[in-house]
Amino acid sequence: MCGIFGYCSFLQEKDRKTICEILCNGLARQEYRGYDSAGIGIDGDKPGEMMFFKEVGKVAGLRKKIAEADVDTTKTFLSQVSIAHTRWATHGPPSIVNCHPLKSDPKADFTVVHNGIVTNASALRLVLQKRGYKFESETDTEAVAILTKYIYDSQPDKRMNFPELVKTVLKELEGSFAFVFKSAHYPNEVVTARRGSPLLIGVKTEKKLKVDFVDVEFASEGENKSIDALAPTSPGSLLVPPSHNNLLRTQSRAFMSEDGMPQPIEFFVASDAAAIIEHTKRVLYLEDDDIAHIAEGELHIHRLRRSDGSQQSSQRTIETLEIELAEIMKGKFDHFMQKEIYEQPESVVNTMRGRVNFDANVITLGGLRAYLPIIRRGRRIVFCACGTSYHSAIATRAIFEELTEIPVGVELASDFLDRRTPIFRDDVCVFVSQSGETADTILAMRYCLERGALCVGVVNTVGSTISRETHCGVHINAGPEIGVASTKAYTSQYIALLMIALQLSEDRISLTQRRNQIIQGLHALPGQIRKVLEGDKGLQELATGVLANQRSLLLMGRGYQYATCLEGALKIKEISYMHSEGILAGELKHGPLALIDENMPVIIIMTRDSFYPKVQSAFAQITARKAQPIVVCNEDDDSIPAGCKTIRVPKTVDCLQGLLNIVPMQLLSYHLAVRNGFDVDFPRNLAKSVTTE
């Protein structure tokens, strides 16, 4: 959940003030990952010395602490390594002592920042304490820093290089992690490693890199292996291997200049691309069990040998990011959440762009094309997700079953694993995750892969673990989301899943009319969302009037709208801290009706579809018990009793109506939170990317 940031410059003159500013900006862009405390570690005035600045709370407090510190901010460095961290507390409460970077000893021989959880940290701590090492913090990360020092100190006659030392440490660790290691014994070097938590490296140079990839150095291969075997094999490849055949594998050819002289270069290590986009668009995503070593202006990637003997790619591509800095700035909006709600007309278009031909009523999802026959032959489809992603799967389950006539199950990833759910080779398992790094969903995916099921990923983040490890999938292309409440991710996931169902049914002639009706509904959708957003002022009045000072709120609907109620209730809970519950209207008489009286606020979703008469029955039941519900209904619906408070939305195809109905719920949760003075983008106890179980 935490945000990691590292900055390494080589032959680039930088003063201390600039370095601190780069680190703080990198953390601020990742605050959504955790904002309990923040800290940075930079080079001191003497060789091997480190300076630390730490503060409980947000990065703004850390900036203030740095500005007030009595340090020489004008001191310049030709080459330097700095690390930074914003924390979401797991081991120990937010405090200066528990704040990263964490050091191995008072002199900071080794310093570490960490995202994830080391599950055997208690055992390591016990062993190290018995050997005389003292711990200051309650964190699992400190055990890793001290273990590194212990291994280094225990071999005075045989000093390992930095990557070998880190590799030895990692072999002792269990759990999920992304680490950045810095050491006084290895000046101007940094080692990063990941297993289960995201990590990427941005590269910034004045000259073009010689090749667009970095070779992976496998320990089992000969040190003197010539690089010829790694030349690109595709005939049209533009990546031409260097002409000198005597170049050894241990040299990093991407960072060599034409004349063989070292070139000025900057590296940015981060948990999220949003942190480095202002510096460079050239990034390299690390894979699980990669160990990256940055030294002397070069980046080397080593592998921690996996016991399963799986084949690994021998290269990591240096990709070009598509996002722009403007996309991760608030612009004219007060909060990121508000901006992301208002971006939905554009984000749904981006999800459909290049995939929907509205003239021919054809859907083309390139990432699934080769696997469509296998999916159609599957005996069932199992959706697996958490939170908002789970609700998008619930929202599209009915249309999936209608169009494909394949049984569909929707599972919460954590419960799916707890039950050890039976999975078979002719199952199709779909994993939905905005970040593509959700820990429970990744573990569920690996569980299904082991059992031979076809695994499909539906994610927003290119290069994420789920996008790499599934057989095939769809990127939802919703653009970056900074606010913790996933708003546009929900609508884009909804549309991506709907498009999968539409493409799977394209061979059924009997469903042509229904499919065409839905595709034309998709065409009208962006304009209809804009129309819903025009009613924002009325929703603000509801939040500050009828719903002000309420302790609880019930949302009820039926059929396609059950998911809307669940997602709306989740948004209200996580942003405004008001207790809210999504109820299936058909279950009203089986318990929830006991809660209804004149003091219980209720939102009932009564947009016109085949379930409309049944929802009217639920409406009659609650009004008979003196409830005064707020009714979400279609613009032209004149059957709503006079005097009822209404939220009017345009009418669309039944299976798309939830996309319009959720927008007022998002706005309502936003205004409730703002009215109560809560931090909308950083709700308490939550982080955006849940990378721990």
Side-chain angles (χ1 to χ4, degrees):
M1 302 265 224
C2 308
I4 285 175
F5 192 78
Y7 175 53
C8 316
S9 54
F10 178 70
L11 301 182
Q12 287 268 17
E13 203 165 275
K14 299 281 177 183
D15 62 38
R16 187 172 279 147
K17 185 178 181 183
T18 305
I19 292 163
C20 290
E21 191 62 27
I22 289 170
L23 294 174
C24 288
N25 286 347
L27 290 185
R29 298 247 187 269
Q30 297 183 101
E31 258 191 316
Y32 69 85
R33 300 183 65 85
Y35 35 90
D36 292 330
S37 59
I40 66 171
I42 58 174
D43 288 337
D45 295 325
K46 299 174 189 169
E49 184 184 58
M50 269 196 84
M51 285 183 180
F52 296 95
F53 298 95
K54 302 181 180 185
E55 187 61 280
V56 174
K58 294 192 181 171
V59 176
L62 178 66
R63 286 186 198 272
K64 191 177 175 194
K65 192 162 192 174
I66 295 168
E68 292 169 355
D70 182 23
V71 294
D72 180 9
T73 55
T74 59
K75 180 174 172 64
T76 58
F77 300 85
L78 187 61
S79 298
Q80 62 78 46
V81 167
S82 313
I83 55 177
H85 187 270
T86 178
R87 182 168 182 250
W88 187 80
T90 51
H91 291 66
S95 66
I96 297 289
V97 172
N98 289 331
C99 181
H100 297 219
L102 287 159
K103 52 192 182 183
S104 59
D105 60 298
K107 291 198 301 186
D109 280 0
F110 294 93
T111 316
V112 181
V113 290
H114 170 212
N115 169 26
I117 289 180
V118 178
T119 51
N120 64 334
S122 300
L124 291 172
R125 179 183 282 252
L126 205 61
V127 169
L128 291 164
Q129 282 173 331
K130 284 180 178 175
R131 282 166 170 72
Y133 289 91
K134 290 184 170 53
F135 285 74
E136 293 180 346
S137 76
E138 299 168 64
T139 65
D140 53 342
T141 311
E142 191 179 12
V144 178
I146 293 175
L147 176 64
T148 312
K149 178 172 172 58
Y150 168 66
I151 293 170
Y152 182 86
D153 290 348
S154 64
Q155 295 186 314
D157 304 326
K158 183 194 165 194
R159 292 294 186 210
M160 293 183 264
N161 60 35
F162 205 1
E164 284 297 326
L165 175 62
V166 170
K167 196 180 287 188
T168 308
V169 170
L170 296 179
K171 285 177 180 173
E172 301 299 322
L173 306 183
E174 295 168 11
S176 69
F177 48 73
F179 285 116
V180 181
F181 291 83
K182 174 175 163 57
S183 173
H185 298 299
Y186 304 96
N188 296 331
E189 292 186 41
V190 69
V191 176
T192 74
R194 72 156 278 180
R195 181 193 294 156
S197 295
L199 205 62
L200 56 97
I201 299 172
V203 182
K204 183 180 180 184
T205 54
E206 289 163 13
K207 296 176 186 173
K208 192 175 183 298
L209 293 176
K210 197 159 189 182
V211 288
D212 287 338
F213 53 85
V214 175
D215 299 312
V216 178
E217 301 172 24
F218 292 96
S220 59
E221 295 180 9
E223 283 294 324
N224 296 327
K225 180 173 178 180
S226 170
I227 208 159
D228 295 352
L230 297 170
T233 52
S234 58
S237 177
L238 299 175
L239 303 175
V240 182
S243 53
H244 0 304
N245 292 336
N246 60 344
L247 183 65
L248 302 185
R249 178 71 177 270
T250 51
Q251 289 182 272
S252 186
R253 52 182 165 157
F255 307 103
M256 292 177 62
S257 59
E258 293 299 326
D259 54 7
M261 294 293 287
Q263 62 170 325
I265 192 165
E266 295 168 85
F267 294 98
F268 305 86
V269 181
S271 300
D272 188 335
I276 62 173
I277 191 65
E278 64 186 285
H279 304 291
T280 179
K281 288 189 176 185
R282 308 288 286 141
V283 301
L284 176 146
Y285 290 92
L286 296 183
E287 295 185 8
D288 273 1
D289 289 305
D290 277 356
I291 298 170
H293 178 216
I294 298 170
E296 298 295 316
E298 290 190 4
L299 166 63
H300 297 262
I301 294 176
H302 308 264
R303 290 289 300 167
L304 191 66
R305 211 65 181 146
R306 294 291 293 265
S307 58
D308 60 7
S310 58
Q311 289 299 307
Q312 296 289 340
S313 166
S314 60
Q315 292 167 353
R316 299 287 175 269
T317 307
I318 299 171
E319 302 174 21
T320 302
L321 289 173
E322 305 261 326
I323 60 172
E324 298 293 335
L325 183 59
E327 293 182 63
I328 56 171
M329 302 298 281
K330 278 196 279 239
K332 63 179 182 180
F333 297 99
D334 297 326
H335 299 92
F336 282 114
M337 182 183 178
Q338 185 188 27
K339 174 178 182 273
E340 286 156 11
I341 292 170
Y342 272 84
E343 280 177 348
Q344 285 176 114
E346 289 75 40
S347 65
V348 299
V349 169
N350 289 338
T351 303
M352 294 186 279
R353 180 170 283 123
R355 294 165 164 176
V356 187
N357 182 332
F358 293 110
D359 297 325
N361 290 321
V362 172
I363 306 277
T364 308
L365 297 170
L368 290 185
R369 191 183 291 117
Y371 291 86
L372 291 173
I374 303 170
I375 298 171
R376 288 187 185 119
R377 288 199 303 271
R379 75 163 172 180
R380 65 172 175 165
I381 297 172
V382 180
F383 286 105
C384 205
C386 303
T388 289
S389 300
Y390 172 75
H391 296 156
S392 67
I394 292 270
T396 51
R397 170 169 57 182
I399 195 67
F400 249 93
E401 290 180 328
E402 180 190 336
L403 293 177
T404 65
E405 295 182 352
I406 301 171
V408 174
V410 182
E411 299 278 355
L412 283 163
S414 54
D415 181 55
F416 176 86
L417 288 163
D418 290 349
R419 291 187 354 251
R420 307 294 291 175
T421 307
I423 291 292
F424 305 97
R425 282 179 298 178
D426 48 1
D427 288 336
V428 177
C429 300
V430 183
F431 301 92
V432 191
S433 166
Q434 195 274 134
S435 66
E437 300 290 351
T438 310
D440 284 322
T441 311
I442 290 170
L443 291 171
M445 172 194 67
R446 288 173 180 161
Y447 174 89
C448 294
L449 285 168
E450 282 171 14
R451 282 151 184 77
L454 177 70
C455 293
V456 181
V458 179
V459 299
N460 190 29
T461 310
V462 177
S464 61
T465 301
I466 291 176
S467 73
R468 288 198 317 271
E469 294 190 15
T470 44
H471 295 108
C472 58
V474 177
H475 284 110
I476 68 170
N477 300 336
E481 274 211 321
I482 307 299
V484 168
S486 300
T487 51
K488 60 183 183 177
Y490 176 76
T491 48
S492 287
Q493 282 171 347
Y494 192 132
I495 288 172
L497 292 171
L498 195 69
M499 290 193 299
I500 295 172
L502 287 165
Q503 185 160 20
L504 286 171
S505 70
E506 67 189 359
D507 60 341
R508 294 174 182 266
I509 296 167
S510 59
L511 294 170
T512 302
Q513 189 178 344
R514 174 71 162 148
R515 201 166 49 250
N516 293 352
Q517 177 197 28
I518 296 167
I519 292 171
Q520 290 312 308
L522 287 171
H523 189 252
L525 198 64
Q528 290 177 319
I529 294 175
R530 284 191 190 91
K531 200 163 185 187
V532 176
L533 291 168
E534 287 168 12
D536 192 5
K537 195 163 180 10
L539 293 163
Q540 191 173 354
E541 287 165 6
L542 271 179
T544 53
V546 181
L547 297 175
N549 305 315
Q550 295 288 351
R551 299 286 303 278
S552 196
L553 174 64
L554 300 182
L555 291 86
M556 58 184 69
R558 190 157 182 151
Y560 290 106
Q561 302 317 313
Y562 176 46
T564 308
C565 296
L566 292 175
E567 177 61 13
L570 178 64
K571 287 290 158 282
I572 290 163
K573 270 185 279 208
E574 65 183 353
I575 305 302
S576 68
Y577 314 149
M578 180 197 287
H579 170 257
S580 53
E581 192 179 340
I583 294 170
L584 189 63
E587 285 291 295
L588 201 54
K589 293 189 289 293
H590 300 281
L593 198 56
L595 295 169
I596 302 296
D597 62 16
E598 66 272 23
N599 300 315
M600 174 61 76
V602 177
I603 296 175
I604 187 163
I605 301 178
M606 283 181 62
T607 42
R608 285 191 180 273
D609 56 22
S610 59
F611 309 107
Y612 187 70
K614 293 181 178 180
V615 185
Q616 279 183 313
S617 169
F619 177 79
Q621 289 171 47
I622 61 173
T623 50
R625 283 147 183 93
K626 299 184 181 176
Q628 297 174 327
I630 298 165
V631 182
V632 179
C633 58
N634 292 128
E635 291 168 330
D636 57 352
D637 193 341
D638 53 10
S639 65
I640 308 297
C644 235
K645 289 186 173 58
T646 59
I647 298 170
R648 301 271 176 176
V649 294
K651 188 174 188 320
T652 184
V653 187
D654 54 2
C655 63
L656 298 177
Q657 190 69 56
L659 287 159
L660 299 179
N661 295 351
I662 194 59
V663 178
M665 302 300 105
Q666 293 171 345
L667 288 166
L668 208 52
S669 65
Y670 171 75
H671 291 306
L672 281 167
V674 170
R675 182 206 169 273
N676 293 325
F678 300 135
D679 192 335
V680 176
D681 290 329
F682 304 106
R684 66 188 181 205
N685 306 334
L686 298 177
K688 177 136 194 84
S689 181
V690 185
T691 54
T692 56
E693 286 184 80

